[in-house]
Amino acid sequence: MREVTFRIRHAGEPECEVSARHPEVRYRSVSSMTGSGPERKRIAELTGPPAEIEAFVEEFREFDLVVSAEPLAPIEGTHAYVALTIDAGPADWEGIGERFSRMGIHYRTGTTIVGGVERWTAYLEDDDDLSAVMRELERGGNEVELARNVELASIERSPQLPASGLLDGLTDRQREVLATAIAAGYYDHGGGVGVEEVAAELGLGSTTVWEHLSRAESSVMNALFERFAEGEPIGAVRETDRSESP
């Protein structure tokens, strides 16, 4: 199996179009696209200068495909969580994730968009035709660039990743919300448990639960990054990551 990363300019996608005009804002999907009808919903995290985030959201609303784009809380800092609803019907819109799924290819969730370029990582079997995959991704006028293609077995992984300390940066409430979400099956693929169910279990509002979960996930992932980077200067790792970003 191979780990393959693509940089994609998704033609006509509102997120990419607006991102190209606001390169200082980093877009990250924090939920999968939901909905079986023409309207599709997702939650996204926007990171960057507050004024640029506000401009991003305002311009995003101007697209015909966009039904709504509503911050889950007032935009006051350098990141915001936004509930997006897109009308996918008129343009026969199809996401990159949907294309991977139709081809039976596993892919990493949590797509990022910077400067109008989406970054997707997929896992191809030995008999998968990479050229055919790229042609499918290019369909509809998308520009696709192969950024990484390595044997999965050749990727060095840390032999151990001690859990101690990974949760130290969480507040008591963030720990409670995260633990409840895990116990309820929120992170089980295809489990059907959404933020509303977690919120009902806790007796909190959905927006509040989204905020706690997103901040907890960010803290844990940053702690994981520090663990993966042990033995190598963190600044060097981050610089390498930036050089590979679109």
Side-chain angles (χ1 to χ4, degrees):
M1 180 171 285
R2 306 187 69 81
E3 182 178 273
V4 182
T5 299
F6 303 94
R7 295 191 181 104
I8 302 174
R9 291 187 180 274
H10 196 160
E13 185 184 52
E15 291 97 326
C16 285
E17 297 288 340
V18 178
S19 172
R21 295 197 290 271
H22 295 278
E24 294 182 0
V25 176
R26 178 179 183 269
Y27 173 106
R28 182 176 71 91
S29 298
V30 295
S31 78
S32 58
M33 186 73 78
T34 62
S36 56
E39 290 192 358
R40 308 293 177 87
K41 300 180 180 181
R42 75 156 31 116
I43 303 293
E45 178 188 33
L46 301 179
T47 306
E52 287 291 312
I53 293 176
E54 291 182 0
F56 188 108
V57 174
E58 287 299 323
E59 289 189 31
F60 189 78
R61 289 173 176 149
E62 296 176 2
F63 276 78
D64 292 338
L65 294 180
V66 176
V67 177
S68 64
E70 300 302 328
L72 298 182
I75 300 174
E76 297 176 345
T78 57
H79 79 280
Y81 298 95
V82 183
L84 309 175
T85 302
I86 296 176
D87 185 358
D92 193 25
W93 184 91
E94 184 180 38
I96 300 300
E98 290 177 294
R99 299 190 190 192
F100 280 131
S101 296
R102 192 178 62 253
M103 289 185 285
I105 294 174
H106 297 287
Y107 62 92
R108 188 182 300 170
T109 57
T111 307
T112 61
I113 306 176
V114 180
V117 178
E118 299 184 23
R119 187 179 181 90
W120 289 84
T121 296
Y123 300 93
L124 274 59
E125 302 285 354
D126 293 338
D127 57 352
D128 285 328
D129 185 339
L130 178 58
S131 296
V133 172
M134 293 188 68
R135 286 195 298 272
E136 172 63 17
L137 297 177
E138 289 169 343
R139 184 171 50 79
N142 297 334
E143 298 178 18
V144 181
E145 176 188 352
L146 183 62
R148 176 180 169 89
N149 181 12
V150 297
E151 287 285 352
L152 195 59
S154 70
I155 300 175
E156 294 185 3
R157 306 293 187 188
S158 175
Q160 292 183 337
L161 189 64
S164 175
L166 292 180
L167 304 182
D168 288 351
L170 304 187
T171 66
D172 290 342
R173 178 50 66 96
Q174 287 170 357
R175 288 171 182 256
E176 177 188 16
V177 172
L178 184 60
T180 301
I182 293 171
Y186 176 77
Y187 293 101
D188 294 346
H189 180 68
V193 176
V195 69
E196 293 82 4
E197 287 78 11
V198 179
E201 186 74 18
L202 291 162
L204 299 173
S206 298
T207 299
T208 300
V209 170
W210 262 115
E211 284 284 344
H212 286 308
L213 280 178
S214 296
R215 292 179 185 274
E217 291 164 1
S218 178
S219 178
V220 171
M221 292 307 294
N222 283 331
L224 279 171
F225 177 83
E226 299 293 338
R227 297 297 180 85
F228 283 131
E230 285 181 0
E232 183 173 358
I234 297 300
V237 175
R238 294 192 189 278
E239 185 63 36
T240 299
D241 183 63
R242 281 196 294 270
S243 69
E244 293 181 353
S245 298

